[in-house]
Amino acid sequence: DAWQDRLWEKGKKRTVRGKYLKESAAALCISESRRYPGGIIASLSIPWGETRGINEGMGYHLVWPRDLVESAWGFLALGAKNDALRILNYLIATQDTEGKWSQNMWLDGQPSLTGLQLDQVALPILLLDSCHQRRMIDKERWERYCPGLRRAVDFILQRGPMTQQDRWEQQAGLSTFTLATEVAALVAAGEMFD
């Protein structure tokens, strides 16, 4: 595959090493939608098999913004900058008018579960900052991304720091992870706006 060949070019500096590196890179790549570039479902699996729960046994065949950002960071670690930028474009395209992202969504951006998890608003800001730190955001991209960044920051400032649902337990309140993510996102946004 040409994508894999570009990642492993001779002489290319790799920041990530490991026994299953190529397989992990392939898993990231094959999970991306060809119809909705940058949209990556959380998993091809149904983790609890036939047990039906909150998502009616549909598994993780949806996009979770949190997992999507982590996939983008995986691409950045591989040096696959264009893949990470596609994810950033997808996130900007699926952000709602209030500035948040759905708890999870179908690949076309339609919400599925609608709980508010503020880490999923903060993490895309941190991805934008990661790309900005790597000098991947030119002036044209910045002008496209800036309105979405402002909406996400405003949303966190108006709704945070408490979250309707914590990251895993789906409990209302204040979790260390969510609070740290919100603070880091606000600091990063402030530096980007400067």
Side-chain angles (χ1 to χ4, degrees):
D1 173 62
W3 182 83
Q4 284 269 9
D5 291 343
R6 282 193 310 274
L7 288 179
W8 319 123
E9 287 173 0
K10 251 188 175 217
K12 185 173 183 181
K13 182 181 175 190
R14 272 185 260 146
T15 57
V16 179
R17 299 186 190 283
K19 183 176 180 182
Y20 299 108
L21 181 59
K22 286 187 176 185
E23 291 87 347
S24 297
L28 280 174
C29 190
I30 64 170
S31 297
E32 182 178 357
S33 171
R34 301 307 175 247
R35 190 171 187 190
Y36 301 99
I40 297 178
I41 60 173
S43 175
L44 296 170
S45 67
I46 298 176
W48 295 282
E50 298 302 314
T51 303
R52 302 224 179 243
I54 190 168
N55 58 2
E56 295 303 312
M58 68 183 146
Y60 291 113
H61 302 102
L62 297 166
V63 177
W64 265 260
R66 169 191 314 116
D67 297 331
L68 188 56
V69 168
E70 291 171 356
S71 294
W73 282 331
F75 283 129
L76 287 175
L78 291 167
K81 293 178 179 181
N82 289 333
D83 299 87
L85 287 172
R86 269 198 318 277
I87 291 172
L88 197 49
N89 288 339
Y90 177 88
L91 284 164
I92 294 298
T94 57
Q95 183 184 31
D96 75 13
T97 56
E98 288 184 281
K100 70 180 185 332
W101 285 268
S102 299
Q103 177 181 353
N104 60 22
M105 60 187 134
W106 298 100
L107 283 164
D108 65 3
Q110 294 300 313
S112 179
L113 297 175
T114 57
L116 177 59
Q117 298 177 346
L118 286 173
D119 62 328
Q120 297 204 146
V121 181
L123 283 167
I125 295 171
L126 292 175
L127 173 59
L128 178 56
D129 182 59
S130 294
C131 293
H132 175 74
Q133 294 293 328
R134 288 171 173 80
R135 304 193 189 291
M136 296 165 52
I137 310 295
D138 59 20
K139 184 178 180 186
E140 180 186 328
R141 279 188 193 276
W142 176 251
E143 288 173 2
R144 270 197 342 247
Y145 297 160
C146 192
L149 174 60
R150 286 187 191 282
R151 286 194 311 272
V153 167
D154 287 344
F155 191 87
I156 292 171
L157 291 172
Q158 291 170 11
R159 300 289 185 95
M162 304 292 275
T163 189
Q164 182 186 27
Q165 292 183 342
D166 184 22
R167 179 182 168 126
W168 295 114
E169 290 74 23
Q170 298 182 355
Q171 305 273 333
L174 186 61
S175 78
T176 306
F177 176 83
T178 300
L179 179 60
T181 305
E182 289 174 275
V183 169
L186 293 174
V187 169
E191 289 175 359
M192 284 187 281
F193 285 132
D194 280 346

